Amino acid sequence: MSRPVKILIAWVSLLLCSSIIHALVIWHTGLRIEPDVPPAPENEQEILIEQVPETTARQPVVPEEQLEFEQELEFEPPDILVAPKAAIPPPPDAILALRAQGQGFQGIDVPRGLALVSISEGSGYGGFKTGAGNGLGDGTARFVPYIAGLREAGLDVVFCIDATGSMGWVIDEVKTRIEDITRFVRSLVPVARFGIVAYRDNNDPEFLTRAQALTYSTVKLRKFLSGLKADGGGDRVEAIDSGLADAIKLSGWRIGARKVIILVGDAPAGQQRIGNVIQMVEQFSRSGGTVSTLDVSDQANPQLLEAKLGHELPRHLYRNAPMPEFLRISEAGRGDAATLDGEIKLTKRLVKLIMGDQFAAEMQALLDEL
């Protein structure tokens, strides 16, 4: 037998032995892993119940610790609240456009002290309506859908205030009542934001303008106002153009929200600047904004001077109306031109201008709470 044949026979023998050993190992392993448990009798099941220690089961439940916040929480909703409907700003004649939408509207509830005042439509004769005593008159048919539209789209309000020396009482009242103003407006439009721009003279050594951008935070508004004082001035004209420019460009308006600027002052912009102011306000109005003016000068409000002097004055010698420049600005901004209308307090007048002077009667019941 040749040597190659012997080698082949040796390899075949080794392979055969390896296969036999492998098979025996597998068989033996299978016997070891096979369960050797007798089958359980039918209809019998063993149930194991885990015993809970008595001390553990009877432990009292400790209430969770209540969280207390020392500072006001700031909540910033998205810039666009309802994108499909609010992408286009309300038209300038929003009242006429919303009148048709008011049919069948069920009304809204707003806080009045600790109670609720229901503002809703009704029926009746001679301007009287039936229902849960709204007392708001025929204008409710326009006011309710108007507020509903603001709740959906949002409301942004910027106060543009003259901060020269003669405006000290205005600055002080805004500081004192800013929380009342914001709380009242948000009772109607919870998603309302507020901003402030203060302006002085072009040659003022301290500042020309200062601004607090639109915010939901009353803390930020109070902090801004706390560092603001009325000072400077002395000439007839003020930097209204700079104040309005900052209010329009730097406030951070939301897309689709109703944009309102309230210009508060007692002096005009001057003939050299009024043209630029009108052009700027008209452009803001075309983008969906509104500019209203409030003349707080003694000429427009002789009752203010009477309160200071303590006696009556011949009111026919006073203008008793907004200054011509403020009339032009409000006309260009498609807003209202107003005086304090016999009031000494500023708060109610500002709120009326924010919501629209045309709704003053509808808001009167609510304004009595301010």
Side-chain angles (χ1 to χ4, degrees):
M1 185 179 297
S2 62
R3 187 179 179 201
V5 175
K6 292 180 179 181
I7 295 175
L8 178 61
I9 292 174
W11 278 108
V12 171
S13 300
L14 290 174
L15 180 61
L16 182 60
C17 292
S18 176
S19 299
I20 293 172
I21 294 172
H22 187 67
L24 290 174
V25 171
I26 292 176
W27 175 74
H28 183 69
T29 303
L31 290 178
R32 294 184 63 183
I33 64 175
E34 182 179 354
D36 191 14
V37 179
E42 294 183 1
N43 301 326
E44 292 186 11
Q45 293 182 352
E46 184 179 0
I47 301 176
L48 299 178
I49 301 177
E50 182 179 359
Q51 298 296 326
V52 180
E54 183 177 355
T55 56
T56 304
R58 295 184 179 179
Q59 286 182 350
V61 178
V62 180
E64 295 183 1
E65 183 180 357
Q66 298 295 324
L67 298 179
E68 296 183 1
F69 299 96
E70 296 181 356
Q71 296 182 351
E72 175 179 329
L73 293 178
E74 295 182 13
F75 171 69
E76 294 288 342
D79 290 339
I80 303 176
L81 299 176
V82 185
K85 296 183 180 180
I88 301 176
D93 54 345
I95 307 307
L96 297 178
L98 289 170
R99 181 183 299 175
Q101 302 175 14
Q103 304 302 322
F105 190 80
Q106 298 301 316
I108 56 177
D109 290 331
V110 298
R112 181 183 179 185
L114 298 177
L116 285 176
V117 176
S118 177
I119 304 178
S120 58
E121 292 187 272
S123 59
Y125 301 92
F128 295 93
K129 293 183 179 292
T130 62
N134 57 32
L136 298 178
D138 290 335
T140 306
R142 296 178 299 155
F143 184 57
V144 170
Y146 177 68
I147 295 300
L150 292 181
R151 286 188 165 195
E152 180 177 314
L155 174 64
D156 285 348
V157 180
V158 173
F159 300 111
C160 188
I161 304 176
D162 182 348
T164 54
S166 60
M167 294 286 290
W169 70 274
V170 174
I171 301 295
D172 291 341
E173 183 164 349
V174 173
K175 287 181 181 180
T176 304
R177 304 299 300 276
I178 187 64
E179 290 187 3
D180 295 333
I181 295 171
T182 57
R183 182 169 58 250
F184 179 91
V185 174
R186 284 173 180 159
S187 70
L188 296 172
V189 187
V191 289
R193 298 191 305 168
F194 297 87
I196 303 172
V197 174
Y199 65 89
R200 288 184 179 173
D201 286 337
N202 284 318
N203 58 356
D204 191 278
E206 188 175 358
F207 68 87
L208 177 59
T209 63
R210 283 183 179 174
Q212 165 60 59
L214 285 158
T215 179
Y216 292 97
S217 173
T218 54
V219 174
K220 290 183 178 179
L221 295 174
R222 289 199 309 267
K223 183 177 180 180
F224 175 82
L225 288 169
S226 66
L228 184 64
K229 64 178 181 178
D231 198 5
D235 55 1
R236 173 61 180 160
V237 298
E238 315 294 0
I240 292 177
D241 52 340
S242 298
L244 285 175
D246 283 1
I248 292 172
K249 298 177 182 178
L250 304 181
S251 295
W253 306 98
R254 284 176 293 183
I255 298 175
R258 177 168 174 79
K259 301 183 284 288
V260 178
I261 295 176
I262 309 294
L263 174 64
V264 185
D266 60 359
Q271 292 301 320
Q272 296 179 349
R273 305 175 191 171
I274 191 64
N276 293 333
V277 170
I278 297 300
Q279 184 179 2
M280 180 170 45
V281 170
E282 286 177 342
Q283 184 176 357
F284 179 67
S285 176
R286 286 193 294 268
S287 70
T290 300
V291 179
S292 293
T293 58
L294 178 59
D295 186 346
V296 294
S297 66
D298 291 342
Q299 273 293 321
N301 305 277
Q303 76 277 5
L304 292 177
L305 192 55
E306 289 178 344
K308 296 175 185 177
L309 299 176
H311 61 79
E312 294 184 357
L313 297 172
R315 295 196 178 186
H316 64 279
L317 299 178
Y318 292 81
R319 186 172 62 242
N320 284 297
M323 66 185 77
E325 291 86 349
F326 275 30
L327 286 170
R328 292 182 60 187
I329 292 172
S330 63
E331 183 178 358
R334 299 186 182 184
D336 301 309
T339 65
L340 291 175
D341 196 23
E343 295 280 348
I344 297 178
K345 297 296 183 180
L346 184 69
T347 308
K348 291 183 180 180
R349 205 67 191 92
L350 289 176
V351 170
K352 289 179 183 179
L353 288 174
I354 291 171
M355 306 309 300
D357 243 2
Q358 68 270 36
F359 295 124
E362 285 72 34
M363 292 188 295
Q364 190 57 53
L366 302 175
L367 288 170
D368 289 341
E369 300 298 322
L370 285 176

